[in-house]
Amino acid sequence: MKHKRLISLIVLISLLGTLTPAFADESADHTPEPYHENEFPQGLKDLRRFTIITLGAMPFVTIDTMLTYSTIRWAQHDFDGAYSPNIFDTSSYSTEEQIGLLLTSLGICMGIGLIDYIVQVSKRNKEKKVSDEAFIDPQFKVLPVEPQTNNDSAKDTENIQESNETQKDNSEEEKKEQQ
């Protein structure tokens, strides 16, 4: 009797300790920060997506695998009622068959995850390639060439030389500013 009261008292004290508010700074904001864009490396993001896709497909692929296997087994036994497809009755499968079905569905799920990974990497590389091609170096300027007459050719040659010298001066000044 004394032990029951002692245990009850200990449980009551421990519950009261968890129910009472702790001495905390109420002015502090305890809201979690959202993740930043580059907080995790791309490889970890890809691994997480692969895991989610693989494990997310597992129940559906397992049901499809069991249904396909039981239908093929039913057809091989001349559509005997004892072998009719019943995917929810696991007692109709031997231990080896169950292991084989789970390993087959796991392999198919990993294939689905791998295909998704390859598609995502190829999309990312294609986007990167397009963005790299769209990049134009600001040092280079495209100057249109207009048809010239013989009289204007000497003046145009001087203008081109002056513009080239100006571009060189500007690029040298930009390099000095960057340093």
Side-chain angles (χ1 to χ4, degrees):
M1 186 76 165
K2 289 183 180 181
H3 293 296
K4 287 184 180 179
R5 283 190 173 188
L6 180 64
I7 291 173
S8 299
L9 183 64
I10 291 172
V11 169
L12 182 65
I13 290 173
S14 64
L15 286 176
L16 287 176
T18 59
L19 295 177
T20 57
F23 299 103
D25 185 17
E26 293 184 18
S27 63
D29 185 22
H30 299 291
T31 307
E33 282 186 30
Y35 292 125
H36 300 289
E37 182 69 28
N38 295 326
E39 191 165 350
F40 297 106
Q42 188 62 44
L44 286 180
K45 291 179 186 177
D46 290 339
L47 179 64
R48 181 171 186 262
R49 181 179 172 101
F50 173 79
T51 306
I52 290 170
I53 297 288
T54 300
L55 294 179
M58 188 71 176
F60 304 106
V61 171
T62 302
I63 289 174
D64 289 341
T65 303
M66 292 177 81
L67 183 61
T68 303
Y69 177 76
S70 61
T71 303
I72 290 171
R73 187 175 71 161
W74 184 45
Q76 287 176 345
H77 289 93
D78 296 326
F79 302 101
D80 185 12
Y83 294 99
S84 64
N86 186 1
I87 59 172
F88 299 110
D89 184 20
T90 57
S91 64
S92 63
Y93 303 116
S94 68
T95 305
E96 292 83 23
E97 287 175 327
Q98 289 178 7
I99 291 172
L101 288 170
L102 287 176
L103 290 177
T104 301
S105 62
L106 181 64
I108 292 170
C109 289
M110 290 183 74
I112 291 171
L114 188 62
I115 289 171
D116 177 71
Y117 172 75
I118 291 169
V119 167
Q120 292 300 318
V121 168
S122 64
K123 278 184 182 179
R124 194 176 320 122
N125 288 342
K126 185 177 181 181
E127 289 173 0
K128 185 178 178 182
K129 185 177 180 182
V130 168
S131 67
D132 287 346
E133 288 175 356
F135 177 74
I136 298 174
D137 194 359
Q139 287 182 331
F140 300 107
K141 292 184 180 178
V142 177
L143 300 174
V145 178
E146 298 177 4
Q148 300 179 14
T149 60
N150 289 339
N151 296 337
D152 294 335
S153 64
K155 292 179 185 176
D156 288 338
T157 305
E158 291 174 8
N159 290 338
I160 291 172
Q161 289 174 349
E162 288 176 10
S163 66
N164 287 342
E165 290 173 6
T166 307
Q167 287 178 358
K168 287 180 184 176
D169 293 339
N170 290 340
S171 65
E172 289 175 4
E173 289 175 8
E174 289 175 4
K175 287 180 183 177
K176 288 179 183 177
E177 289 175 4
Q178 290 176 356
Q179 292 176 355

